[in-house]
Amino acid sequence: MSEPHMAILIKGGRIIDPALKRDEVGDILIENGLIREIAPSISTPEGAAQVIDAAGKVVTPGLIDLHTHVREPGYEYKETVATATASAAAGGFTTICCMPNTNPVNDNQSVTELILEKTESEGLVRVFPIGAITKGQKGKELAEIGELVKAGCVAISDDGLPVMNSQVMRLAMSYAKIFDVPVIDHCEDLNLTNNGVIFEGNVSTRLGLRGIPACSETVMVARDLALAELTEAKVHLAHISTAGSVQLIREAKRRGIRVTAETCPHYFALTDEAVGSFNTNAKMKPPLAGERDREEILSGLKDGTIDLIATDHAPHASDEKEQAMDCAPFGIIGLETALPLSLELLEKNILTLPEVIQKFTSEPARVLGKKTGQLDIGGPADITIIDLDAEWIVDAKNIISMSKNSPFIGRAMKGRATAVIVGGKLIMNQGLRGE
Amino acid sequence: MELKRKDILNLSCMDREEIDLILQTAESFKEVSKREIKKVPALRGKTVVNLFFEPSTRTRSSFELAGKRLSADVINVSASGSSTIKGETLLDTARNIEAMSADFIIVRHASSGVPHFLARSLQSAVINAGDGANEHPSQGLLDLLTIKENKGTLEGLKVVIVGDILHGRVAHSDIHGLKKYGADIHLVAPPTLLPAAIEQWGVTVHYHLDEALKDADVIMLLRLQLERQGTGYFPTLREYSQLYGLNRRRLALAHPEALVMHPGPINRGVEVTSEVADGLSSVILQQVANGVAVRMALLFLLSGGKHV
């Protein structure tokens, strides 16, 4: 790995920066951690400089994941700041936003500070903490949102759990306006979920598993849209998975409601059929839905109803996943597979390459209201280099994350990040997987 | 002919030839239970472990008797007496039992898929004795055997299944088994106790019992788990029995020689009146007797036994 302030020259890549509408072959010079110059051809500067040959590759702003479960503090046997950021780098991400459902919950300044200190000392990429909406994520009283933001939180969310009480959610949205941070909601009506474990439909009936109806998500999406209209807050809807939700969001946006939405690669790459015969690595919340839902997610990505793609990277230890479907925890890892799964959208003519990049860079940056996710001259050099043609197979033994709970193990992938630069520092070059 | 399987997990994935083989083998084992000395040496030296994570009297004793009548050593492990309450994982419990050289592990668990999970992880033969709301294949098989004995065939019969289909693993196995013989299956339940998309299984769904009973050859009543009362699926047992209880008046709507079946234990006066449960149409105790024979057949065939 290079010294942080050694100059880096990236040569001959196709530079795609959706925010600045750049798409051209050229060179990028990085000095002192900043992007110094972008030009069709830059000669190697005087003195020491690392040259990265990006010919035939795509050079983009560093990818941002708006939805990561880092698990530290409290669940270091699943993942830590060190391993989550290594997994992120392997997947091409230079920034991850970590959800607050740790132990203790990130509902106060000291937990936020701990995460930021860990990132400073052990993190390979940037970590932006997301604070809790309510104290202890109990859905009752507001957390000290002002203090969380002051300590470095970029958004608030009770992710993993919904804020079931609509009045509490209304207050949270109103209050969050003081700090202009997005309120990210995990849309789920727990009464309708009724201890369900997979999507309610053919597969749940066939396997005799308690089903989670699609409306468990859509009724909460409808509520949040009504509250977003009322409060005019920045509302972001996490991990959208059903056709009904996409239709509601599309209609709300048409009416001018300020709302953004994300989906995750598994919701457009898989359906509930992936549960097969009780595969706990296909168990997550919201659950993998039906084919009609998957198709509507694709159409939502295409028409912009769904603003961005996030991973909902949710590591769990194998002991936890190797048990009865009812007992296994919800969640799958996603940092290392999100980019290639999203690149599959190119061949299906759902998105263009700049649009895929946009959903991992400028769109999450816009939700956060941060000037990141773009290649600014003079701005911090967070850059990802992607080989679109790299063909590989997801293999548990090559996964960098501490946990291996992926339904994509064994799946053939095309495309992967080959180099990641964070703040001018070359974090990963030609893979962390030791191949 | 022999059964080429390691485990018995579901009727849904079994083909008709396999089911025929099991039923024929069970018929020949029925005779053993009628002997003065009810024992054959077929499984001498084999070990059968009943690993039950849910309470059961009927199914557990049925498997126990089946094993013993085949001369196997049988032990019972119930969740309350096992390490699971000490925090041992399911897989560890099963691996420990396997380490004691169990040839057969008979599993009952409240969660669907547990027998499948154990079958994948263990060398021992696993028999599903009921998993969550998924299946109860040996019950399905004994129901098929009972119908076949009384009706001479399984083909083309009108079978009405009444009650909690949503949580009904017996119903699931019965439906999968009967479909393979082309039975005309009618389900009767409140919509709150029907699983999503059940029509796609090729069954007819009714909310009213009377309308389903006309010309029925078999009426299969499902046990209503009384603990479901108060969970909102139906208002009271009283109303449930008024809407879905089988009584003499309703029985008269069916074919005169209709069979009344129930997997037990019966909630008398809820699913069925005592008069009907104990009446001439009832084959409920015959189901129990056939249960032992079917389970003997499963153990025998899984151990490599051939039906001659």
Side-chain angles (χ1 to χ4, degrees):
Chain A
M1 291 294 132
S2 63
E3 290 302 311
H5 297 302
M6 181 190 253
I8 299 173
L9 179 61
I10 304 168
K11 283 202 73 77
R14 176 180 166 193
I15 302 167
I16 300 180
D17 181 353
L20 303 177
K21 307 256 183 295
R22 186 192 291 274
D23 185 353
E24 67 206 4
V25 173
D27 298 353
I28 300 179
L29 177 64
I30 299 160
E31 277 179 358
N32 298 320
L34 307 175
I35 297 175
R36 165 63 66 89
E37 190 184 356
I38 302 177
S41 181
I42 303 172
S43 51
T44 310
E46 303 269 321
Q50 180 155 11
V51 178
I52 300 174
D53 177 11
K57 298 195 173 110
V58 174
V59 180
T60 73
L63 309 187
I64 301 168
D65 184 26
L66 203 54
H67 198 137
T68 313
H69 296 274
V70 166
R71 303 297 190 207
E72 187 169 4
Y75 304 106
E76 291 85 354
Y77 66 95
K78 297 177 196 252
E79 195 85 287
T80 63
V81 169
T83 62
T85 54
S87 177
F93 292 93
T94 57
T95 299
I96 56 178
C97 302
C98 64
M99 285 296 175
N101 59 341
T102 46
N103 185 14
V105 168
N106 184 13
D107 64 356
N108 66 78
Q109 180 185 341
S110 58
V111 178
T112 306
E113 285 169 354
L114 174 83
I115 294 165
L116 291 172
E117 281 162 21
K118 281 277 180 181
T119 304
E120 185 65 32
S121 61
E122 298 168 16
L124 285 180
V125 306
R126 297 180 201 275
V127 178
F128 290 173
I130 296 172
I133 296 174
T134 63
K135 292 190 180 106
Q137 289 193 286
K138 293 189 190 306
K140 296 197 170 78
E141 301 166 69
L142 295 186
E144 290 178 319
I145 296 166
E147 190 136 298
L148 286 165
V149 173
K150 200 170 115 201
C153 286
V154 296
I156 55 168
S157 178
D158 271 1
D159 186 70
L161 292 168
V163 176
M164 279 294 289
N165 184 319
S166 303
Q167 167 65 1
V168 172
M169 194 49 145
R170 178 198 174 164
L171 295 175
M173 287 183 188
S174 296
Y175 192 77
K177 287 163 66 180
I178 307 172
F179 314 103
D180 199 31
V181 287
V183 179
I184 303 177
D185 197 24
H186 164 121
C187 297
E188 178 186 11
D189 182 320
L190 289 171
N191 294 316
L192 283 168
T193 295
N194 193 29
N195 298 318
V197 290
I198 65 167
F199 190 68
E200 181 179 290
N202 289 333
V203 178
S204 66
T205 297
R206 174 168 62 79
L207 297 175
L209 291 169
R210 275 190 300 275
I212 301 173
C215 63
S216 171
E217 176 179 279
T218 49
V219 300
M220 280 308 228
V221 167
R223 179 200 74 170
D224 284 352
L225 294 172
L227 292 177
E229 185 172 21
L230 175 71
T231 61
E232 298 180 326
K234 277 173 90 169
V235 174
H236 178 73
L237 305 178
H239 46 53
I240 290 304
S241 67
T242 67
S245 299
V246 174
Q247 288 154 4
L248 287 169
I249 296 163
R250 184 180 289 131
E251 174 58 22
K253 285 187 165 184
R254 196 171 289 148
R255 289 196 295 124
I257 296 173
R258 187 186 187 190
V259 64
T260 53
E262 76 191 25
T263 191
C264 311
H266 38 284
Y267 299 122
F268 57 74
L270 299 175
T271 66
D272 57 350
E273 292 292 342
V275 176
S277 179
F278 305 101
N279 177 8
T280 56
N281 281 341
K283 178 183 175 183
M284 77 292 287
K285 259 189 187 174
L288 295 172
E291 179 59 19
R292 196 179 65 88
D293 298 285
R294 195 183 74 87
E295 284 165 10
E296 194 64 40
I297 296 289
L298 289 173
S299 109
L301 282 165
K302 195 177 172 78
D303 71 11
T305 299
I306 296 175
D307 302 87
L308 62 102
I309 301 169
T311 68
D312 197 4
H313 177 84
H316 291 295
S318 59
D319 287 350
E320 297 173 303
K321 279 292 195 181
E322 280 173 15
Q323 53 175 336
M325 199 74 186
D326 285 346
C327 308
F330 291 95
I332 62 168
I333 55 169
L335 286 167
E336 293 164 61
T337 50
L339 178 63
L341 289 168
S342 302
L343 291 171
E344 289 178 8
L345 300 173
L346 304 182
E347 284 174 18
K348 293 177 188 146
N349 291 319
I350 304 293
L351 297 177
T352 63
L353 181 58
E355 284 168 338
V356 171
I357 303 305
Q358 186 177 16
K359 289 193 189 295
F360 282 109
T361 56
S362 54
E363 287 298 309
R366 182 172 64 87
V367 170
L368 294 172
K370 283 187 175 287
K371 204 183 169 198
T372 176
Q374 57 190 53
L375 300 172
D376 273 326
I377 306 296
D382 287 7
I383 294 173
T384 300
I385 302 176
I386 301 163
D387 179 354
L388 294 177
D389 301 319
E391 292 188 22
W392 57 290
I393 289 169
V394 184
D395 183 340
K397 71 175 195 292
N398 294 330
I399 290 174
I400 300 291
S401 167
M402 196 187 287
S403 295
K404 317 296 172 193
N405 52 312
S406 169
F408 297 109
I409 288 169
R411 183 169 169 132
M413 299 275 173
K414 195 173 172 202
R416 75 175 357 167
T418 57
V420 164
I421 296 164
V422 181
K425 188 173 172 183
L426 185 61
I427 294 302
M428 189 266 277
N429 196 7
Q430 302 300 330
L432 282 171
R433 296 175 185 79
E435 284 162 17
Chain B
M1 205 185 146
E2 58 189 314
L3 195 60
K4 290 186 182 63
R5 279 184 183 274
K6 173 181 161 285
D7 314 289
I8 302 287
L9 302 175
N10 280 329
L11 289 194
S12 60
C13 61
M14 238 182 227
D15 61 36
R16 189 168 154 168
E17 286 66 37
E18 291 177 291
I19 295 175
D20 281 337
L21 172 66
I22 295 164
L23 297 184
Q24 285 158 18
T25 310
E27 277 169 354
S28 59
F29 276 128
K30 282 193 77 171
E31 176 264 333
V32 175
S33 295
K34 291 181 184 129
R35 289 184 197 172
E36 182 68 25
I37 295 169
K38 302 177 180 61
K39 223 172 177 76
V40 290
L43 291 190
R44 200 162 57 195
K46 300 276 185 188
T47 306
V48 177
V49 178
N50 276 328
L51 181 58
F52 276 52
F53 294 92
E54 268 191 337
S56 161
T57 307
R58 191 176 324 259
T59 304
R60 204 202 61 208
S61 10
S62 185
F63 270 110
E64 187 173 355
L65 281 174
K68 286 180 170 167
R69 284 182 188 167
L70 294 170
S71 306
D73 297 312
V74 184
I75 64 160
N76 294 313
V77 180
S78 64
S80 56
S82 81
S83 315
T84 52
I85 50 171
K86 298 175 193 162
E88 189 178 55
T89 67
L90 174 66
L91 192 55
D92 281 338
T93 302
R95 278 182 179 151
N96 275 279
I97 288 166
E98 183 175 59
M100 295 181 237
S101 303
D103 299 288
F104 299 91
I105 298 180
I106 318 294
V107 188
R108 168 169 289 193
H109 200 285
S111 294
S112 303
V114 165
H116 308 67
F117 169 59
L118 294 182
R120 277 198 293 268
S121 320
L122 302 176
Q123 302 295 317
S124 313
V126 174
I127 300 180
N128 179 2
D131 64 321
N134 182 33
E135 280 214 38
H136 189 353
S138 61
Q139 178 74 41
L141 290 164
L142 74 88
D143 287 342
L144 294 179
L145 180 61
T146 308
I147 297 170
K148 197 176 167 206
E149 276 182 349
N150 286 280
K151 293 287 173 191
T153 179
L154 292 163
E155 313 270 346
L157 296 176
K158 177 175 179 181
V159 180
V160 179
I161 304 177
V162 188
D164 184 355
I165 315 283
L166 180 62
H167 305 98
R169 57 195 175 205
V170 173
H172 291 187
S173 289
D174 283 337
I175 295 167
H176 288 304
L178 287 162
K179 286 302 290 180
K180 296 184 202 293
Y181 294 91
D184 175 24
I185 301 171
H186 294 253
L187 305 181
V188 187
T192 50
L193 289 174
L194 283 167
I198 190 74
E199 300 81 6
Q200 293 185 19
W201 288 18
V203 296
T204 309
V205 171
H206 306 264
Y207 302 149
H208 301 283
L209 180 53
D210 286 9
E211 75 180 30
L213 286 174
K214 187 178 184 319
D215 298 327
D217 297 298
V218 177
I219 307 165
M220 206 174 273
L221 305 164
L222 300 174
R223 172 176 164 73
L224 188 71
Q225 287 171 277
L226 296 184
E227 58 270 25
R228 305 237 180 262
Q229 199 191 9
T231 52
Y233 289 105
F234 54 91
T236 58
L237 286 175
R238 180 170 170 272
E239 181 154 311
Y240 180 87
S241 68
Q242 283 169 0
L243 291 169
Y244 300 103
L246 185 66
N247 53 30
R248 192 170 53 164
R249 179 189 68 77
R250 283 183 169 145
L251 181 58
L253 300 172
H255 189 280
E257 287 175 24
L259 305 178
V260 174
M261 301 176 69
H262 192 299
I266 305 172
N267 297 302
R268 287 177 180 261
V270 179
E271 300 110 11
V272 58
T273 60
S274 288
E275 186 183 21
V276 171
D278 302 331
L280 290 174
S281 305
S282 168
V283 291
I284 295 171
L285 293 175
Q286 199 181 329
Q287 288 174 272
V288 179
N290 283 341
V292 178
V294 159
R295 288 162 183 134
M296 286 171 81
L298 292 177
L299 291 169
F300 177 74
L301 291 169
L302 282 185
S303 71
K306 291 184 176 61
H307 182 71
V308 285

